Amino acid sequence: MRLMLEGVWKSFPGVLALRDVSFRLREGEIHALLGENGAGKSTLVQIIAGLCQPDSGRIQIDGRPVAFASPRDAIAAGVSAVQQDRNLIPRSSIGENILLERLPTRRGLVDVDQVHRKAKALLEKLNLEIDTRAEARTLSVAQMQIVEIAKALSQDARILLLDEPTASITERETKALFAILRQLRGRGVAVLFVSHRLEDIFEIADRVTVLRDGRNAATGEPIVGMSRAALVSLMVGGAERVAPTRARATDEGRVALQAIGLTTESGHKDVSFALHRGEILGLYGLVGSGRSELARALVGAGKITGGKVFVNGESARISGMSDALDRYRIGFISEDRKHEGLILGHSIQRNVAITVWRRLAGRLGLITDGMERRVVEPITTKLNVSTPSLQQNVETLSGGNQQKISIAKWLAASVEILIVDEPTAGIDINTKGYVHELLTEIASSGVSVLLISSDLSETVTLADRILIMHQYRIVGETISDHQYEKVRETIMTKIYQIDALA
Ligand SMILES: Nc1ncnc2c1ncn2[C@@H]1O[C@H](COP(=O)(O)OP(=O)(O)OP(=O)(O)O)[C@@H](O)[C@H]1O
Ligand SMILES: [Mg+2]
């Protein structure tokens, strides 16, 4: 056994995150670690990676007991990890970030050329072509995800831990990652893989360990022969929630948000589209195609350098996210939940209520705790946020539960236009169905939704129409009849056609 955890317990204030958990990782296997949001997956990964210490329990690598006081110790013992939260150094170059733990040197000095050569080669294997000399802060969340993966791969680990590596990357990048993981498995590397995308699990994993409420619900069961329903039942203790797809009428006559010939500082050229009232318009493109940057420019978080934006038919100059909300009733669920979606250090209640303060304040301008709670509680209950109380600091929530809070506050806000970037990245399977229901519901009530998702099946399920973005341009558009295979083929053909012409 390459890695063995036995009887591991871990508590945080008010939460028992792991209760008597066991986990066994063999060499040359890809082992899935599954569970609902807050089940304890990241806590387990962090313990193995030396980021936090268990309260009790035994850990062995190759039969020898280990105790890591820091990630450095873990790396020295051959353990590399991609954590769920991105941790790149914003002002260092992409290349330096990737090779940080093993900077190549020549005559005692860092060999900068070699840093970038090595980093570039790793990224190309993962299908990402970017300038490795650029600063890490210029990357989108999806690109950062790939850079983090490259960084972990560069360490030639014997044990590789991946906490939701595919949450916001598209099928193409995921395929490239899986090809590499299969090679590593062939070389005897032991891989732990956390994901909420069950399709990924069935494609890549050999065995599965499931956590439910911090306890083992399965320990190393083989995936072969296991059904989706059985897996879901181990995770949630019941059946999968399937969102009903209802037919919706969109008001083609009324345009809520329109862009004409937009150019942006991040590089968009001649972007034009119209979002109708009550419509869900998907925006699909490969990682690096400029989807998120377009969303950010639309809400004033990125610079528009040419062209025009219209809201409800009137020319709009949106200066930032609060202006978007106050003057134009536009909400924005950012893919960067940690830095843009949440006010860190504040409670769940405050984070959700913030978008409705003006409405709550009333004549006296006072907002009581009770007023806030009445708005917040129904939404967090519906989204199944697992937390001891609404007063809990959002920073202590699990990744998926943080994502739920960043969605909840916009659902509370009663906006007319909602721009959502990766709404279900990192969200567990049943809550994902619920978020889909909610988005469909608000569109039915007349809200216009611009949906960005790297999960094409999600886009096809939800969207009425899909815009195809490639290299910062809109290269096509297709009506979605919600038939996945057909729509997927149309979109991919378009993207590859353009690539072939270039
Ligand atoms: N630093 C902390 N302080 C307090 N509670 C914490 C802390 N870190 C984690 N928790 C709690 O421990 C529990 C397990 O969290 P963990 O992040 O391991 O879940 P997860 O399975 O990774 O979920 P997700 O799918 O959402 O990423 C959660 O209830 C979480 O709120
Ligand atoms: Mg997690």
Side-chain angles (χ1 to χ4, degrees):
M1 201 60 58
R2 180 53 44 93
L3 171 74
M4 196 166 88
L5 281 84
E6 207 50 74
V8 170
W9 291 76
K10 176 71 186 177
S11 61
F12 295 108
V15 179
L16 240 181
L18 296 176
R19 319 177 193 209
D20 194 20
V21 167
S22 300
F23 178 70
R24 291 181 188 80
L25 188 60
R26 295 177 190 152
E27 63 174 77
E29 77 162 333
I30 299 176
H31 195 127
L33 178 62
L34 305 185
E36 288 189 291
N37 295 134
K41 304 178 298 293
S42 297
T43 305
L44 191 64
V45 168
Q46 286 168 13
I47 285 174
I48 303 171
L51 266 165
C52 76
Q53 282 71 44
D55 299 337
S56 62
R58 293 178 305 284
I59 308 177
Q60 294 187 345
I61 291 181
D62 295 326
R64 264 179 306 241
V66 291
F68 301 138
S70 74
R72 273 263 149 90
D73 287 357
I75 291 171
V79 180
S80 294
V82 174
Q83 300 297 339
Q84 190 172 15
D85 283 328
R86 319 283 150 248
N87 295 306
L88 299 176
I89 304 167
R91 294 201 179 263
S92 291
S93 75
I94 293 162
E96 285 158 0
N97 265 290
I98 290 176
L99 292 166
L100 189 66
E101 298 295 338
R102 309 184 122 202
L103 284 171
T105 53
R106 205 172 44 173
R107 284 188 239 122
L109 297 172
V110 173
D111 184 344
V112 178
D113 282 339
Q114 210 191 330
V115 167
H116 292 290
R117 238 187 353 263
K118 280 194 166 173
K120 194 165 187 308
L122 273 166
L123 289 175
E124 273 169 6
K125 272 200 217 163
L126 289 162
N127 253 332
L128 186 66
E129 279 185 40
I130 42 173
D131 177 10
T132 60
R133 289 171 197 266
E135 288 181 11
R137 67 193 171 98
T138 61
L139 299 171
S140 71
V141 167
Q143 289 170 324
M144 283 187 195
Q145 202 170 348
I146 296 173
V147 168
E148 293 270 12
I149 294 169
K151 180 175 168 182
L153 294 176
S154 79
Q155 293 164 3
D156 291 325
R158 295 184 305 147
I159 296 173
L160 181 61
L161 315 172
L162 303 164
D163 195 350
E164 293 195 47
T166 58
S168 62
I169 62 178
T170 65
E171 198 181 301
R172 190 179 75 141
E173 292 83 23
T174 302
K175 290 269 181 286
L177 170 64
F178 285 1
I180 296 175
L181 293 185
R182 289 193 181 98
Q183 281 172 16
L184 292 176
R185 172 173 62 190
R187 277 191 250 141
V189 175
V191 181
L192 181 163
F193 185 84
V194 180
S195 174
H196 289 292
R197 293 188 178 171
L198 292 188
E199 304 73 30
D200 286 1
I201 302 301
F202 281 110
E203 184 176 341
I204 192 84
D206 305 304
R207 293 196 301 149
V208 58
T209 290
V210 181
L211 295 179
R212 190 156 86 228
D213 278 334
R215 293 192 182 86
N216 279 102
T219 314
E221 310 285 332
I223 290 274
V224 173
M226 203 182 267
S227 69
R228 185 179 169 101
L231 211 48
V232 172
S233 161
L234 285 170
M235 281 192 284
V236 308
E240 183 170 358
R241 173 196 192 99
V242 182
T245 40
R246 263 161 287 167
R248 274 176 310 109
T250 61
D251 192 345
E252 295 277 330
R254 285 180 55 189
V255 175
L257 177 70
Q258 186 171 20
I260 298 178
L262 276 196
T263 56
T264 69
E265 199 170 56
S266 53
H268 295 91
K269 296 209 172 56
D270 195 24
V271 170
S272 302
F273 68 87
L275 169 65
H276 300 107
R277 186 160 189 275
E279 180 182 39
I280 301 182
L281 179 63
L283 178 61
Y284 187 79
L286 303 175
V287 170
S289 59
R291 306 164 296 172
S292 299
E293 290 86 345
L294 178 63
R296 300 175 52 74
L298 288 169
V299 294
K303 201 162 173 215
I304 292 175
T305 50
K308 273 195 169 339
V309 176
F310 296 88
V311 178
N312 292 322
E314 285 181 33
S315 176
R317 284 189 171 277
I318 304 169
S319 65
M321 288 183 219
S322 62
D323 189 37
L325 175 63
D326 292 342
R327 273 206 298 164
Y328 300 99
R329 312 294 318 151
I330 302 177
F332 175 51
I333 299 177
S334 163
E335 65 170 340
D336 190 356
R337 58 178 170 247
K338 192 122 201 199
H339 300 107
E340 281 181 352
L342 299 172
I343 320 166
L344 299 177
H346 283 262
S347 69
I348 295 174
Q349 181 167 316
R350 187 50 46 91
N351 266 277
V352 177
I354 187 129
T355 52
V356 283
W357 273 8
R358 199 151 299 178
R359 187 153 51 89
L360 283 182
R363 263 186 312 155
L364 294 173
L366 293 175
I367 302 163
T368 63
D369 181 67
M371 286 158 83
E372 274 193 356
R373 207 173 43 234
R374 272 195 296 281
V375 178
V376 174
E377 206 157 23
I379 305 174
T380 51
T381 308
K382 271 187 187 175
L383 288 174
N384 198 14
V385 175
S386 82
T387 176
S389 103
L390 289 181
Q391 299 313 321
Q392 195 81 11
N393 176 352
V394 287
E395 247 164 299
T396 67
L397 291 178
S398 76
N401 282 304
Q402 288 182 356
Q403 174 76 342
K404 291 179 194 175
I405 299 305
S406 69
I407 296 177
K409 71 175 194 191
W410 292 110
L411 296 176
S414 65
V415 292
E416 288 173 16
I417 297 169
L418 188 59
I419 301 179
V420 294
D421 196 354
E422 303 292 357
T424 61
I427 285 200
D428 63 40
I429 184 154
N430 275 1
T431 310
K432 183 169 166 177
Y434 197 73
V435 170
H436 287 177
E437 259 175 62
L438 280 173
L439 287 174
T440 313
E441 224 171 84
I442 61 169
S444 303
S445 74
V447 174
S448 309
V449 180
L450 182 66
L451 168 74
I452 301 172
S453 172
S454 55
D455 181 347
L456 184 54
S457 71
E458 171 166 280
T459 306
V460 173
T461 306
L462 293 177
D464 305 298
R465 215 160 34 103
I466 301 171
L467 302 172
I468 306 162
M469 178 155 262
H470 191 52
Q471 294 173 352
Y472 290 78
R473 291 170 190 273
I474 301 221
V475 297
E477 180 188 319
T478 177
I479 299 281
S480 174
D481 55 6
H482 312 300
Q483 305 292 312
Y484 177 67
E485 289 303 331
K486 211 172 89 194
V487 179
R488 177 182 178 278
E489 171 136 10
T490 311
I491 291 177
M492 288 311 179
T493 309
K494 190 82 210 171
I495 291 175
Y496 291 121
Q497 256 172 14
I498 304 254
D499 259 351
L501 289 176

